Amino acid sequence: IEPRFGRMLLEAKKHDAVREVLVIVSGLTIQDPRERPLEAREKANLLHARFQDPTSDFLSLLNLWNYLEGEQRKLSSSAFRRLCKKEYLNYLRIREWQDLMRQLKEIIKPLGLEVKSPKVNPDGIHKSLLAGLLSQLGLKQEAEKKIPGKKPRPSRDYLGSNGKKFLIFPGSALAKKPPEAIMSAETVETSALYA
């Protein structure tokens, strides 16, 4: 994994969030298992929205993992594969995610990092992630200056490190209600620079 992800795991020990950060780190390392085929985009979005946390896309990834883990315990291998297909989740990417989790659990043991039972600790999770994402912070910019006769538009821009300006990715749970500050796993340039 990337060194910044390793740093997050080391920090997770302080915040008793090793399992949760391990899930997120391994999920960020693989390609997103959520699929949105053109012909079924609306249906896929509705199914994936169940996992969305309105405060954090990182927690949405954790919600997806927790769901998959629970379903896999209940279902046979072929039934789990059918569930993934029906819910627009790429089975092979999920297997890759699970394999990476297994490998990382073995690797972190000698470091004194212990994977405990699931818990809810959003602050601890985000503080751990922050340790590896310091260069991926962004502060919301001031609203546009008032022009006489026009209603001022709120700014959607964020200012990051090195003077980099970016927007929240439209598919993010945070895009509808942009917070004052964000931390992103990465920025990608398409029609604009998105976090």
Side-chain angles (χ1 to χ4, degrees), residues 47-184:
L47 286 167
H48 298 163
R50 297 174 298 163
F51 313 116
Q52 216 168 43
D53 184 296
T55 62
S56 170
D57 291 332
F58 297 115
L59 296 180
S60 297
L61 197 57
L62 180 61
N63 291 341
L64 173 60
W65 175 268
N66 290 337
Y67 169 75
L68 292 170
E69 195 174 52
E71 291 301 305
Q72 193 165 32
R73 268 193 229 113
K74 290 188 270 185
L75 302 171
S76 68
S77 179
S78 57
F80 181 71
R81 188 185 286 255
R82 284 192 302 273
L83 173 94
C84 291
K85 184 178 175 100
K86 188 177 87 175
E87 297 188 5
Y88 302 99
L89 300 167
N90 187 300
Y91 177 75
L92 294 177
R93 289 185 201 144
I94 290 168
R95 286 299 310 258
E96 183 184 358
W97 193 3
Q98 293 169 332
D99 290 344
L100 183 56
M101 274 288 290
R102 243 186 320 278
Q103 292 166 10
L104 289 174
K105 278 182 189 177
E106 288 302 311
I107 291 170
I108 65 172
K109 277 181 187 175
L111 301 172
L113 300 173
E114 188 182 338
V115 177
K116 297 178 183 172
S117 58
K119 65 182 75 59
V120 180
N121 180 5
D123 286 343
I125 292 167
H126 288 109
K127 286 177 184 175
S128 301
L129 297 176
L130 180 61
L133 297 175
L134 287 171
S135 63
Q136 296 293 106
L137 299 177
L139 296 175
K140 195 171 185 183
Q141 295 301 282
E142 297 288 323
E144 291 178 3
K145 298 223 187 288
K146 222 176 189 180
I147 300 169
K150 277 193 163 187
K151 189 177 179 182
R153 253 183 49 219
S155 176
R156 298 179 323 140
D157 291 338
Y158 284 83
L159 182 63
S161 60
N162 299 326
K164 188 169 46 172
K165 286 191 177 181
F166 56 86
L167 302 167
I168 295 179
F169 181 69
S172 167
L174 303 174
K176 290 179 181 127
K177 285 187 174 180
E180 291 302 310
I182 64 166
M183 166 176 65
S184 69

